[in-house]
């Protein structure tokens, strides 16, 4: 006969397995549905390049080290993307007067246009999904958000 703790553990494992399967399903479906839309609208740019541009748009004084950490890439991979985006005229590099050693990156006017298209796509996706979110209470959404944040922190620890 199973003890209460074992029964709880088995039920919790079953739910966690369902949650993880659901997250995997969601991710696969989102990629299937949205990747072609993104690729069409962002023709000529890889998903990594778009993520790079987005990070620079949101974080002033972005440098190779910060980009690598934020995008879960090596510094070498960031350097390759940097060269491609500079060649495409999407970013510019600069140094601060007080730090001639470090290179920082900013979006050019063309880079800002691509970022604006990307942001609009995200807004369109959010608007299209709004009926799903509207079906949940604020309390429900807060709980889901708490889970997502906690699980991200757990994964961040594993990545270190």
């Amino acid at each position: 006969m199973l003890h209460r703790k074992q029964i709880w553990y088995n039920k919790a494992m079953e739910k966690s397995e369902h949650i993880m399967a659901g997250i995997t399903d969601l991710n696969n479906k989102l990629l299937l549905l949205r990747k072609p839309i993104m690729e069409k609208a962002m023709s000529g740019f890889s998903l990594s390049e778009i993520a790079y541009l987005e990070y620079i748009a949101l974080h002033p004084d972005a440098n190779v080290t910060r980009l690598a950490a934020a995008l879960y890439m090596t510094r070498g991979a960031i350097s390759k993307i940097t060269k491609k985006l500079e060649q495409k005229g999407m970013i510019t590099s600069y140094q601060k007067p007080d730090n001639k050693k470090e290179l920082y990156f900013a979006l050019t006017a063309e880079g800002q246009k691509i970022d604006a298209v990307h942001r609009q796509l995200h807004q369109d996706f959010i608007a299209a999904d709004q009926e799903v979110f509207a079906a949940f209470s604020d309390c429900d959404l807060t709980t889901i958000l708490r889970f997502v944040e906690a699980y991200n922190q757990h994964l961040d620890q594993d990545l270190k």
Side-chain angles (χ1 to χ4, degrees):
M1 181 173 238
L2 292 176
H3 295 291
R4 281 183 181 210
K5 191 173 186 178
Q6 289 174 313
I7 292 170
W8 176 88
Y9 180 78
N10 289 342
K11 286 183 179 184
M13 281 301 282
E14 184 178 304
K15 282 186 181 180
S16 65
E17 289 170 2
H18 284 289
I19 290 168
M20 294 310 296
I23 289 171
T24 301
D25 255 6
L26 281 171
N27 186 53
N28 290 339
K29 289 173 187 174
L30 284 169
L31 284 172
L32 182 66
L33 292 168
R34 295 183 176 165
K35 188 177 178 185
I37 296 167
M38 295 284 282
E39 287 174 342
K40 183 178 178 184
M42 313 300 286
S43 180
F45 293 93
S46 70
L47 294 177
S48 295
E49 290 171 332
I50 298 303
Y52 184 113
L53 293 174
E54 179 182 37
Y55 184 84
I56 290 176
L58 297 173
H59 300 89
D61 298 331
N63 62 20
V64 171
T65 303
R66 290 182 193 139
L67 282 158
L71 302 178
Y72 306 102
M73 295 181 184
T74 64
R75 291 171 49 91
I78 293 298
S79 293
K80 286 180 183 178
I81 294 172
T82 299
K83 288 178 187 169
K84 287 181 185 178
L85 291 174
E86 283 178 326
Q87 289 170 351
K88 292 178 180 183
M90 298 295 121
I91 62 168
T92 185
S93 59
Y94 64 93
Q95 292 178 311
K96 293 182 179 182
D98 60 335
N99 184 354
K100 297 291 184 188
K101 182 182 170 189
E102 192 72 51
L103 268 183
Y104 299 92
F105 307 104
L107 297 180
T108 62
E110 286 302 307
Q112 289 173 1
K113 287 178 188 175
I114 295 298
D115 182 60
V117 169
H118 180 235
R119 285 180 196 232
Q120 185 58 55
L121 284 172
H122 276 287
Q123 290 303 313
D124 294 347
F125 295 151
I126 289 169
D129 294 341
Q130 200 54 46
E131 69 182 73
V132 175
F133 291 98
F136 291 88
S137 72
D138 188 57
C139 184
D140 291 337
L141 294 174
T142 298
T143 301
I144 294 167
L145 187 56
R146 227 177 63 237
F147 168 79
V148 169
E149 289 170 351
Y151 199 68
N152 264 314
Q153 288 174 0
H154 168 74
L155 294 176
D156 285 343
Q157 292 302 312
D158 285 351
L159 287 169
K160 291 179 183 177

